[in-house]
Amino acid sequence: MAPAEETVATELSRVTSQPLEKVVLRHIQDPAAQRAITRCLDAPSATQGSKSEFETLTSAINITPSSNGRYNISQIKEDAVWLSKQVEIDEVSALRLTILEWQSRPTERLLQENIVDAAQELALDGLSSSLKASFLLSPTSFVKTARPVLDTDFDSSAARHLRLLRLHVSEEQYLLQTTECLVSRAVTYGATNHAEGRTSFADSDFGVEDVGLRILKIWQLAKAWSNESKLWLTKALSYLEKKLHHLSRESGWANEHESETDLEQQWSNCNILQMISVLRMLLVVGNTSPVLAQPSIVLGWFRLMARTNFLESIHIPSDKVSYVQDISCVEEVTHILVDAASASIDSAMLAVFAWCIILQTIRDFAISSTEIKELRQSQKAIENYGGTTQSDNDSNDGGSERRRISPQRRSSFGSDASQQATLFEDIIELVQKLEPNDDLIRLLAQTTADPTFRVVANLARISFSQLASGHKQETLVATRSLLLDLVRSAKHFVGYSESILESLLSIVLGDDDFWEIQSHSNHREHSFNNETRFLRGDHLVTEVFEEALGRFPYESVPFIKICRALLPYQRPQGDMHDPILDTLIMLPSFTSLVIEPDVPYELEGDGDNVSLRLSSPMDIMLLAFPSLKPVSRYLLSPQTFKVPEGTVGRALSDSKPIVALWDFSYSSLRLFGLILQNTLELRTDRALPTSHPLFEISMEIIGLMTTSISRLTRNSPTSQDDTHSHSTARQILEEASDSLSRNQDVVAVILDLLEGELYKQQSTTRGFDSTGLITRGLQFLSILGIMMPSRVWPFLGRSGLLGLHGTESKLTAVVVAIEIPSGEFPILLSSIHLLEVILEDAVRNAARKNPASKALQRFNQTEQESAGAGIPNNSMRQILLQYIKILMDVFQSSGTWRFSRIEQSIEISSRTCAIFNRVLSICFSNDDDNEPDGKIVSNVAPSATYLVDTFLSDGANDPTLKPLLQLLVAGLQTPWATTTARLSELWRTQTTSALHLVTTLLRLNKYLGRPMSQVCHQVFNTMPVLAKLLVTHQDYYSHVVWLLEAAVIDAGSLPQPPSLLGHLGQGMAKSFLDCLSTFGKPFVNSELSTATWKLCSAIVSQRQQWLAVYILNGQTPKETMAAKDHVSNTTSPKPIISIALGKLSHIKDLQPSEAMAMLEFIALAADTSEAVALEIRNQQACKDACLKYIAEMKSPGAIKHAQSQEEICQYQIGAYIISIIALLAHRSNERGDLTTLRHIVPRLGHLTEHGVCVPPYNASLHHSLKKNFEARFSNCILSNFKRTSFSRPLLGPHYYYDIHLADQMLRYDAAWKGRSNRGFANEFARANLNLSMVEAQVVS
């Protein structure tokens, strides 16, 4: 099956560390595919050569007409010729599209089915009132929607033609996005090699990058904006103009028999998406150019903008000069932009301001050149007067001076430089004539400055949210670089200002989402060089940082913000902190407002050398914040942290009160701690109005400290590699605590501030928006939970956050009172992140001994103490249970909330589902010898029991289960990954989390031995939704299949289980099983195949008779009856059982997991249907391959101590084959079929010799493991880690004992890993392999 361009583009856009699918890699390396990619801007039209090739490809010698009616070659040829004429493409390309349409018919048929069940309508109603409503308010509307149901027959020519037109539009769009992916990856790879000092890419072993580099070479884009690349760039501009023209008219494809509205909408949307892809390629490629663009390209662009009113309502001369050297180009662009500014076109303001900067640069150069020319003429006159006759053109000094002034252009001497200077003078004179009474450049700059900085900030935020994933990271880097260039140039004209700072922060931070930045940072190490390329060596960042530093603490917030923004992009140097932290530890100066007479000082020196000297020591808080003077009696300031007498400073302003820069070195971290402590004191005593800037400063300080320690605690706190990082994080907290009084530390101060703000939210007079302080506090608490959870658990136990002591939960109160009305949910999201942290800590510490209580130092805890051991188990249980109850309330009610940002809604839902699933898995995946309260993870047991009672009780009603239905229905609207990569990734995570949770609930219900649950009933009611979800996105396939398998098994407990066919309907069931029979193609994925075979096994073994008939016969019952009457007009796919038997003919080539699942299905099917046994008997190749596999199996003695999963799986495969052969022999004996018996019996020598061998159970290993383990770890027993059937254990080193859980709990003890990895972890793996070997040989 050939991959569609949608599949290729989506796979290339995927945000994953997994290798690229082989089918996609083969496709992009195919010469034909590469030709199509390089011609993506000008698709070839039909020619006599393409017609001849088409006839050759479709001739009988190459394609044999189908004998079973699966395809009609005549129809395919007719459709291809029709499509070629209709959309004006060559016949071979049309043939490819026609074949793709034929391959996609099961999926299209399934997507066109109506959803009419009442439960589904309920789910859709819920979606439209919450999630769907929020989504429609989001910036993008490019989402996949269900195809409309056609009035005509699916197989009619009109229906086929409409699908072909849709496919053509889609493939054209995705071909461009595939090209964009390849070009971006190639540019990224080239930039990375350049950063690492490599200039040649010929030795690249990255297939995707190779293809991208080859495309750039064909397009002659090795040097963007060069003369060689002009052809492609001109073609790209023409393509954009063509697409803009398309948007102003209809496609012309519709007729009276087709539903043209949706086709026209898709055509318009795809035109926009194609333009976006071309613009991104222009941006990425152009950003790498070391030279300026040519006039023809710049003029082409601005002419296009002028004709389209800057996208709100494009004679290309041969030249080699840059656009700023072409006076006609400059004149025309200036006219266009002046007209745009006069018309107040917002989208043009950025271009107008950038053009002002360019014109000002030209003017500066012209003025400088004029001054130099006049000086040289004066020197020449003097020299001539003195007898020197050196000419102007021969002056070496002049040439040197010209090179100094214009370092960016090619060195030139004499007349060339003079001509250029004269040209620039002419340009400025021409510009000035446009506004003779005023300075046009200055006027335009002043008019557009503020709108420009707003646009820059918004553009940066949007770019970060849309492009911060997948191949679009290169586009993000290019966008950031260009915006940074603009701000850098603007700073020379407007100086340091709040607008400059805010623009810079937006470029660096995006929308300043802490958790998004954290998530991005966690995956940054492998691409650090690329993602920080836009900041590397940037003078603007350095200048802004130094200017903000020079104003601290007089202007505290800007400095703290810029530090917090830059910290994630710093790479530590040496053994200590990174540069930002080093600066924070010792600042060289102190800037303050000098208010007389509060600040005693003396003047020294005279004239321009006047300086200030403190005549007495000053309290550092009062010097930094003079407005605190009225409440100075409340201030806490240690005597050891004062600005000493004699400190010298200098005035930064002439007006009074003076702003002075004091020569005083100090630790800003100590000052931060002091500010936080005094904020707490003043907040508690109500001595300061809540509008005081000290509260905003405190919020930013907490954010900075959170960012600082989060960079050092990203991994598990028990990782030995992170010992130094965690030590450094503790040093930061210690430094911030050094100036605190009353034996406090900065952690306690921050937690007290958080607690105080939670309670003060009920106050009706809030001058300061303290929700930001609460958010920062919860973020700090979450990061602290990774490094020092022993400080987090006690706080949660005594805090009002969760309402543990019979009071209202302050978290609930804040969300209801503030976040729901505003539509912004940072506090709730931070709380969910905190729950994730403490949940993992509860599991991690479940097996640790409780240390004896003792006084602890503030930060120098032992490993057990810092990791949270010693917290009473009962306290953990209560905290987790209350947290889960609050989260359940959120889960059930959030569907009615309105979200300002759809990303927040998606993240809340997906993380909630993941937490619920994690709690259930922790509690029920291991140790079936005990009730939940008796397990080693008993601290999670009450939460798990609560979830079971909520979801699986007989009284579980619609409000409980409705959110799950809404999330499943929402999956049908998954956005295009190639358009909105980040949103699509979040959307897929939400859907897979919901699918995983439903699957867990179904399997848990079966494991607990309960009757069929309401969850299972709802799954059957929403079967049409799940069937469509199967083909909505490749990521959903396996999750949907596993869910359906769990539902079929759970329903199998009833005497008469509900019918899948009945809930799907016959038409949808046929399409659904047609899609299942593809096994996830074109991808070759054993996981997808394994899941499909498991579902088929459940269908044939759990009394789903009607679907079983289709699987075994390839026809629905109705089609079977019609076939007997010879009235069927429909084509039938190959039966799934026939596919399985065909695959078994090559059993050696199958992955073990797929082979075992397939053999299990065949064994169950043969036991169910005698017709299957008869088909097996007739499949000679299948029988021979299976018998050969048995004959070539190694003897049990040869692999007594199995070391790999493959060695073990061969015996389970053998066991399944033997059970099938036994059944076949039994049926043949009953029928008197001696031929089959004579074929089978002589080839069973392996069974004759080894069939009754005792499985190699290693009793000594298991006895020693139990004895030694329980002696070493007295808080747990070996059976605590025994997997249950709920966890679906797989044969291999993780089969019987859960090594992952044990590693999480026991890795604190060196005996777990042992020397040379020969500790208990290795013994667990050996025991699992041994028990897997035993299990593999006893399967019947």
Side-chain angles (χ1 to χ4, degrees):
M1 179 180 287
E5 289 298 336
E6 177 180 3
T7 302
V8 176
T10 302
E11 182 65 19
L12 288 171
S13 302
R14 188 181 298 275
V15 186
T16 177
S17 59
Q18 298 297 321
L20 194 68
E21 288 284 350
K22 292 181 180 180
V23 65
V24 173
L25 188 58
R26 286 197 301 267
H27 174 78
I28 62 176
Q29 291 176 336
D30 182 72
Q34 291 184 15
R35 283 196 301 271
I37 290 172
T38 55
R39 299 184 302 187
C40 62
L41 299 182
D42 52 349
S45 57
T47 62
Q48 189 61 39
S50 64
K51 183 176 182 181
S52 300
E53 185 180 358
F54 171 77
E55 293 296 339
T56 302
L57 290 173
T58 56
S59 61
I61 195 173
N62 290 319
I63 298 180
T64 304
S66 174
S67 59
N68 57 5
R70 293 190 63 211
Y71 61 84
N72 186 333
I73 186 59
S74 299
Q75 184 185 91
I76 291 176
K77 291 177 65 176
E78 292 173 2
D79 288 348
V81 172
W82 176 88
L83 181 64
S84 173
K85 294 179 180 178
Q86 188 73 14
V87 300
E88 298 179 351
I89 60 175
D90 65 285
E91 293 86 353
V92 177
S93 300
L95 177 62
R96 175 183 174 274
L97 293 174
T98 308
I99 294 174
L100 284 175
E101 186 276 326
W102 176 81
Q103 292 175 341
S104 66
R105 285 182 186 179
T107 298
E108 289 295 324
R109 192 187 298 270
L110 184 55
L111 290 172
Q112 288 183 15
E113 294 287 346
N114 277 321
I115 301 177
V116 297
D117 190 88
Q120 297 140 26
E121 291 178 356
L122 177 64
L124 284 167
D125 290 341
L127 175 68
S128 62
S129 65
S130 57
L131 182 61
K132 188 175 180 182
S134 299
F135 178 75
L136 292 177
L137 294 173
S138 64
T140 177
S141 61
F142 298 110
V143 294
K144 285 184 176 179
T145 55
R147 277 68 166 174
V149 180
L150 300 178
D151 296 328
T152 56
D153 182 71
F154 182 85
D155 293 319
S156 68
S157 61
R160 296 197 314 273
H161 290 170
L162 182 56
R163 291 196 299 272
L164 285 170
L165 290 174
R166 291 184 181 279
L167 185 60
H168 164 69
V169 172
S170 173
E171 287 292 287
E172 187 179 10
Q173 166 205 334
Y174 283 110
L175 178 63
L176 263 175
Q177 291 175 349
T178 297
T179 309
E180 179 197 344
C181 293
L182 295 172
V183 169
S184 297
R185 293 277 288 270
V187 171
T188 301
Y189 178 67
T192 303
N193 276 270
H194 179 72
E196 296 174 358
R198 294 181 298 202
T199 57
S200 174
F201 313 117
D203 57 348
S204 168
D205 57 353
F206 299 95
V208 178
E209 287 78 2
D210 274 339
V211 176
L213 291 170
R214 195 173 298 127
I215 293 171
L216 292 177
K217 184 177 180 180
I218 293 173
W219 285 346
Q220 297 180 314
L221 289 178
K223 293 182 179 180
W225 310 133
S226 64
N227 191 52
E228 293 79 8
S229 64
K230 187 172 65 177
L231 178 61
W232 183 85
L233 295 170
T234 304
K235 189 179 298 183
L237 292 177
S238 300
Y239 185 85
L240 290 173
E241 185 171 20
K242 181 178 72 173
K243 291 302 174 181
L244 286 169
H245 176 66
H246 285 176
L247 290 175
S248 63
R249 64 178 182 85
E250 296 181 348
S251 65
W253 297 334
N255 58 55
E256 66 273 12
H257 301 295
E258 297 171 346
S259 176
E260 70 278 0
T261 304
D262 292 295
L263 175 61
E264 293 298 329
Q265 183 64 48
Q266 181 187 1
W267 186 71
S268 298
N269 286 347
C270 288
N271 276 310
I272 295 175
L273 295 173
Q274 289 160 15
M275 291 171 59
I276 292 173
S277 292
V278 174
L279 288 171
R280 284 174 176 166
M281 282 191 285
L282 285 169
L283 175 62
V284 170
V285 174
N287 190 53
T288 63
S289 174
V291 298
L292 294 177
Q294 301 171 39
S296 57
I297 304 302
V298 174
L299 271 178
W301 171 259
F302 281 105
R303 285 168 177 168
L304 175 60
M305 291 297 100
R307 282 197 291 271
T308 60
N309 201 22
F310 282 85
L311 301 182
E312 289 193 358
S313 13
I314 183 176
H315 201 300
I316 302 178
S318 176
D319 47 45
K320 295 185 179 181
V321 299
S322 68
Y323 67 93
V324 295
Q325 295 173 298
D326 188 307
I327 191 168
S328 61
C329 173
V330 174
E331 180 181 14
E332 187 170 347
V333 171
T334 303
H335 275 289
I336 292 172
L337 293 177
V338 168
D339 292 343
S342 301
S344 299
I345 302 175
D346 290 340
S347 57
M349 293 304 167
L350 188 62
V352 175
F353 189 79
W355 192 247
C356 289
I357 294 174
I358 294 171
L359 292 179
Q360 181 62 40
T361 304
I362 293 175
R363 178 159 65 181
D364 290 344
F365 185 86
I367 293 173
S368 177
S369 298
T370 302
E371 292 174 349
I372 293 172
K373 185 189 301 182
E374 292 174 351
L375 178 61
R376 291 170 57 200
Q377 288 175 348
S378 299
Q379 290 176 340
K380 184 177 179 181
I382 295 173
E383 290 168 354
N384 289 337
Y385 181 78
T388 304
T389 59
Q390 185 182 37
S391 70
D392 181 65
N393 289 348
D394 296 334
S395 173
N396 293 330
D397 292 340
S400 174
E401 186 67 23
R402 283 191 295 273
R403 290 194 297 273
R404 182 184 67 81
I405 294 171
S406 182
Q408 297 298 323
R409 62 183 180 85
R410 185 178 57 189
S411 298
S412 59
F413 296 87
S415 60
D416 290 341
S418 300
Q419 289 174 5
Q420 180 164 296
T422 304
L423 173 64
F424 287 166
E425 292 169 4
D426 292 343
I427 289 175
I428 295 303
E429 183 180 354
L430 183 148
V431 171
Q432 194 59 46
K433 289 180 179 178
L434 296 177
E435 188 68 36
N437 298 326
D438 204 343
D439 185 345
L440 178 64
I441 301 175
R442 181 184 58 82
L443 181 63
L444 285 176
Q446 291 176 346
T447 305
T448 60
D450 289 339
T452 295
F453 288 123
R454 287 196 298 269
V455 171
V456 168
N458 290 332
L459 215 83
R461 286 190 286 266
I462 294 171
S463 299
F464 195 89
S465 62
Q466 296 292 329
L467 303 174
S469 58
H471 74 280
K472 294 181 177 62
Q473 289 178 0
E474 180 60 35
T475 309
L476 178 61
V477 169
T479 303
R480 286 169 143 180
S481 297
L482 292 176
L483 293 177
L484 207 60
D485 287 341
L486 177 64
V487 176
R488 183 188 303 109
S489 301
K491 183 178 179 296
H492 293 295
F493 301 103
V494 300
Y496 176 86
S497 65
E498 183 178 353
S499 298
I500 289 287
L501 180 63
E502 290 301 322
S503 298
L504 178 60
L505 291 175
S506 297
I507 294 170
V508 177
L509 289 177
D511 56 3
D512 198 11
D513 187 324
F514 175 79
W515 297 114
E516 172 63 23
I517 295 173
Q518 282 295 110
S519 173
H520 201 48
S521 298
N522 290 340
H523 300 88
R524 176 174 283 123
E525 294 303 323
H526 70 281
S527 57
F528 185 90
N529 286 334
N530 176 48
E531 294 183 25
T532 60
R533 200 166 67 244
F534 77 100
L535 279 180
R536 196 173 303 136
D538 189 85
H539 297 295
L540 171 64
V541 176
T542 304
E543 289 175 6
V544 173
F545 178 80
E546 291 177 351
E547 293 196 43
L549 171 61
R551 296 166 181 258
F552 180 82
Y554 172 62
E555 293 179 359
S556 299
V557 172
F559 175 67
I560 299 173
K561 281 185 174 182
I562 194 68
C563 289
R564 181 169 60 85
L566 296 179
L567 266 174
Y569 295 94
Q570 301 301 307
R571 172 167 286 178
Q573 299 175 355
D575 297 330
M576 294 302 291
H577 309 297
D578 55 40
I580 298 293
L581 290 179
D582 287 339
T583 302
L584 292 175
I585 290 174
M586 188 55 65
L587 296 184
S589 61
F590 187 98
T591 305
S592 68
L593 194 65
V594 179
I595 299 180
E596 302 176 5
D598 296 337
V599 180
Y601 70 93
E602 299 173 352
L603 296 177
E604 294 184 347
D606 53 13
D608 295 335
N609 297 321
V610 175
S611 61
L612 290 72
R613 179 184 294 271
L614 285 179
S615 56
S616 63
M618 274 295 298
D619 185 295
I620 196 168
M621 285 293 296
L622 287 177
L623 186 58
F625 308 105
S627 59
L628 296 178
K629 179 67 175 179
V631 294
S632 58
R633 66 182 183 277
Y634 296 102
L635 293 180
L636 302 173
S637 185
Q639 294 297 321
T640 57
F641 196 24
K642 290 182 178 292
V643 182
E645 179 183 355
T647 300
V648 178
R650 60 184 176 89
L652 300 180
S653 62
D654 296 331
S655 60
K656 290 190 177 183
I658 299 172
V659 177
L661 178 68
W662 303 98
D663 187 11
F664 172 60
S665 299
Y666 64 101
S667 169
S668 66
L669 294 177
R670 293 184 64 193
L671 179 59
F672 290 161
L674 193 59
I675 292 173
L676 291 175
Q677 186 181 40
N678 281 283
T679 302
L680 177 62
E681 289 293 323
L682 297 172
R683 188 73 157 150
T684 303
D685 296 333
R686 299 181 182 274
L688 203 66
T690 54
S691 59
H692 195 277
L694 201 62
F695 297 115
E696 182 183 2
I697 295 171
S698 298
M699 180 184 73
E700 293 298 334
I701 289 173
I702 297 173
L704 175 59
M705 299 189 70
T706 304
T707 303
S708 301
I709 64 175
S710 69
R711 295 183 58 249
L712 303 167
T713 56
R714 287 175 188 159
N715 300 321
S716 171
T718 56
S719 173
Q720 295 181 358
D721 296 336
D722 293 333
T723 303
H724 175 73
S725 296
H726 285 249
S727 174
T728 303
R730 291 189 179 92
Q731 290 176 18
I732 294 173
L733 298 176
E734 288 176 349
E735 181 73 18
S737 303
D738 279 349
S739 61
L740 303 188
S741 58
R742 302 178 183 176
N743 295 320
Q744 283 190 315
D745 61 52
V746 72
V747 172
V749 170
I750 293 175
L751 297 185
D752 288 346
L753 271 172
L754 171 60
E755 182 73 1
E757 293 307 317
L758 287 171
Y759 278 91
K760 289 182 183 297
Q761 283 302 315
Q762 295 177 346
S763 172
T764 57
T765 57
R766 295 195 304 267
F768 166 66
D769 182 13
S770 55
T771 56
L773 194 54
I774 296 174
T775 303
R776 299 287 194 213
L778 290 172
Q779 292 167 357
F780 177 81
L781 201 61
S782 300
I783 301 301
L784 190 70
I786 300 175
M787 184 178 69
M788 291 189 295
S790 59
R791 303 295 299 273
V792 176
W793 287 104
F795 171 78
L796 293 176
R798 68 177 183 269
S799 170
L801 181 71
L802 303 178
L804 288 173
H805 309 293
T807 60
E808 180 189 19
S809 165
K810 298 304 177 185
L811 173 59
T812 302
V814 169
V815 171
V816 171
I818 299 175
E819 297 202 315
I820 292 179
S822 69
E824 295 284 344
F825 296 84
I827 295 176
L828 179 57
L829 272 172
S830 296
S831 301
I832 293 174
H833 281 275
L834 175 58
L835 175 56
E836 293 173 339
V837 171
I838 64 172
L839 177 60
E840 294 306 316
D841 183 72
V843 176
R844 190 163 48 244
N845 297 302
R848 295 194 180 192
K849 297 180 180 179
N850 293 332
S853 15
K854 60 180 180 179
L856 300 177
Q857 298 181 16
R858 287 185 300 185
F859 303 108
N860 295 326
Q861 298 105 322
T862 64
E863 182 183 3
Q864 285 193 349
E865 292 156 356
S866 66
I871 307 300
N873 193 54
N874 189 51
S875 297
M876 285 189 176
R877 292 159 62 98
Q878 292 179 0
I879 292 170
L880 290 174
L881 176 60
Q882 185 65 14
Y883 227 140
I884 291 296
K885 287 182 177 180
I886 293 174
L887 199 57
M888 179 61 76
D889 290 340
V890 170
F891 185 64
Q892 293 179 352
S893 61
S894 61
T896 60
W897 300 350
R898 184 187 182 279
F899 291 83
S900 299
R901 297 174 55 204
I902 186 63
E903 292 85 356
Q904 289 185 341
S905 170
I906 295 173
E907 189 169 0
I908 289 171
S909 299
S910 59
R911 289 188 179 276
T912 300
C913 290
I915 289 173
F916 290 166
N917 187 76
R918 178 65 174 151
V919 169
L920 295 173
S921 298
I922 289 170
C923 195
F924 295 103
S925 292
N926 301 280
D927 192 4
D928 54 6
D929 295 336
N930 296 295
E931 293 296 321
D933 286 334
K935 296 184 178 184
I936 192 173
V937 289
S938 59
N939 48 15
V940 185
S943 301
T945 302
Y946 169 77
L947 292 176
V948 170
D949 292 341
T950 302
F951 284 114
L952 299 180
S953 65
D954 294 336
N957 50 19
D958 286 343
T960 303
L961 302 177
K962 182 179 177 181
L964 284 175
L965 299 179
Q966 292 179 357
L967 295 181
L968 297 180
V969 176
L972 298 177
Q973 297 186 352
T974 303
W976 285 319
T978 52
T979 307
T980 54
R982 177 59 182 159
L983 179 60
S984 179
E985 180 189 3
L986 288 172
W987 207 293
R988 297 196 307 270
T989 301
Q990 173 185 259
T991 306
T992 54
S993 297
L995 290 168
H996 198 186
L997 176 59
V998 175
T999 305
T1000 297
L1001 292 172
L1002 292 169
R1003 294 180 54 249
L1004 182 58
N1005 192 72
K1006 182 68 176 179
Y1007 169 73
L1008 296 176
R1010 298 186 176 207
M1012 180 178 171
S1013 64
Q1014 284 295 320
V1015 176
C1016 192
H1017 281 294
Q1018 293 292 348
V1019 167
F1020 274 88
N1021 290 337
T1022 56
M1023 267 304 300
V1025 173
L1026 294 172
K1028 287 193 173 187
L1029 203 57
L1030 180 83
V1031 296
T1032 298
H1033 197 280
Q1034 186 70 21
D1035 286 358
Y1036 302 156
Y1037 185 97
S1038 61
H1039 294 280
V1040 172
V1041 172
W1042 286 122
L1043 186 154
L1044 295 178
E1045 185 226 12
V1048 170
I1049 293 175
D1050 189 30
S1053 59
L1054 296 179
Q1056 186 58 45
S1059 170
L1060 278 178
L1061 181 62
H1063 285 83
L1064 277 174
Q1066 186 163 278
M1068 179 170 277
K1070 182 180 186 303
S1071 301
F1072 172 71
L1073 289 174
D1074 285 348
C1075 294
L1076 272 185
S1077 64
T1078 65
F1079 296 93
K1081 290 181 180 179
F1083 297 116
V1084 181
N1085 191 321
S1086 61
E1087 180 186 355
L1088 302 182
S1089 298
T1090 300
T1092 305
W1093 293 122
K1094 287 287 186 180
L1095 174 60
C1096 293
S1097 297
I1099 290 173
V1100 300
S1101 63
Q1102 299 294 328
R1103 301 190 301 284
Q1104 293 288 334
Q1105 295 93 336
W1106 297 116
L1107 274 184
V1109 169
Y1110 184 92
I1111 288 174
L1112 301 180
N1113 298 339
Q1115 293 179 321
T1116 62
K1118 182 177 180 180
E1119 290 174 341
T1120 303
M1121 297 299 296
K1124 292 180 180 179
D1125 298 334
H1126 305 286
V1127 295
S1128 176
N1129 294 321
T1130 60
T1131 61
S1132 298
K1134 191 176 183 179
I1136 292 180
I1137 186 65
S1138 299
I1139 297 174
L1141 296 177
K1143 282 179 171 285
L1144 280 185
S1145 301
H1146 307 281
I1147 190 171
K1148 285 285 188 180
D1149 299 331
L1150 298 176
Q1151 291 291 326
S1153 59
E1154 181 182 2
M1156 289 187 294
M1158 188 189 306
L1159 287 165
E1160 181 185 10
F1161 162 65
I1162 295 173
L1164 291 170
D1167 188 45
T1168 303
S1169 171
E1170 186 174 350
V1172 174
L1174 182 62
E1175 186 168 355
I1176 296 174
R1177 187 187 66 179
N1178 296 332
Q1179 291 277 353
Q1180 191 66 36
C1182 174
K1183 285 191 302 181
D1184 290 342
C1186 291
L1187 291 170
K1188 182 179 179 181
Y1189 188 93
I1190 293 293
E1192 293 177 353
M1193 285 176 59
K1194 296 180 181 179
S1195 64
I1199 54 172
K1200 184 175 182 180
H1201 302 291
Q1203 297 298 319
S1204 68
Q1205 187 176 12
E1206 288 72 16
E1207 292 178 338
I1208 295 168
C1209 289
Q1210 71 160 306
Y1211 272 91
Q1212 190 164 55
I1213 291 173
Y1216 280 125
I1217 291 175
I1218 291 168
S1219 66
I1220 295 172
I1221 291 175
L1223 180 63
L1224 182 60
H1226 175 70
R1227 293 284 174 86
S1228 298
N1229 187 49
E1230 285 183 338
R1231 299 169 61 91
D1233 182 8
L1234 300 180
T1235 302
T1236 301
L1237 292 174
R1238 291 192 188 102
H1239 179 72
I1240 293 175
V1241 173
R1243 307 177 70 174
L1244 300 179
H1246 180 87
L1247 294 181
T1248 304
E1249 185 176 354
H1250 305 292
V1252 294
C1253 290
V1254 178
Y1257 178 75
N1258 192 337
S1260 174
L1261 169 65
H1262 297 285
H1263 175 75
S1264 300
L1265 175 60
K1266 178 178 174 61
K1267 176 183 176 182
N1268 297 334
F1269 179 82
E1270 294 178 0
R1272 179 72 183 191
F1273 303 99
S1274 57
N1275 272 23
C1276 54
I1277 58 177
L1278 191 60
S1279 62
N1280 291 147
F1281 302 98
K1282 184 178 69 173
R1283 289 185 179 274
T1284 65
S1285 59
F1286 169 72
S1287 64
R1288 297 191 74 133
L1290 301 176
L1291 298 179
H1294 299 274
Y1295 170 63
Y1296 195 77
Y1297 298 114
D1298 192 337
I1299 297 181
H1300 175 73
L1301 180 65
D1303 181 72
Q1304 191 175 6
M1305 292 183 178
L1306 306 175
R1307 64 188 306 181
Y1308 71 91
D1309 195 313
W1312 171 248
K1313 290 293 184 182
R1315 294 182 179 179
S1316 302
N1317 289 327
R1318 296 179 66 85
F1320 284 105
N1322 181 63
E1323 294 300 302
F1324 269 42
R1326 290 180 59 207
N1328 284 338
L1329 287 170
N1330 180 249
L1331 292 172
S1332 297
M1333 190 67 182
V1334 173
E1335 177 68 18
Q1337 295 188 53
V1338 299
V1339 171
S1340 60

